[in-house]
Amino acid sequence: MGLPEDIAKLLKSEGYRLNETIRDGINDFIEIVTEENEEMEDDVEDDGDEETEGPEGLKADL
């Protein structure tokens, strides 16, 4: 079972009713989350060489 079906079941178990618009919204939501996660992964790879400054000053990447 895929994530959209799991979300639909969770909503139904909480007493929410679903229609085609809500199902489309769930699919759009999952698409957005997937795209944002890919961008975050790209950002982490790009930022991997930079030094970061924390509360104790500059820290080396471990």
Side-chain angles (χ1 to χ4, degrees), residues 23-61:
R23 291 181 191 278
D24 288 345
I26 292 170
N27 290 330
D28 291 345
F29 169 74
I30 292 171
E31 184 178 320
I32 291 168
V33 169
T34 301
E35 290 171 2
E36 289 297 316
N37 274 296
E38 289 172 356
E39 288 180 18
M40 285 190 289
E41 288 174 3
D42 291 343
D43 289 345
V44 168
E45 291 172 3
D46 293 343
D47 294 341
D49 295 335
E50 296 180 15
E51 294 178 346
T52 57
E53 187 172 339
E56 298 153 6
L58 291 174
K59 295 183 179 182
D61 291 334

Side-chain angles (χ1 to χ4, degrees), residues 9 21 23:
K9 281 188 174 186
T21 302
R23 291 181 191 278

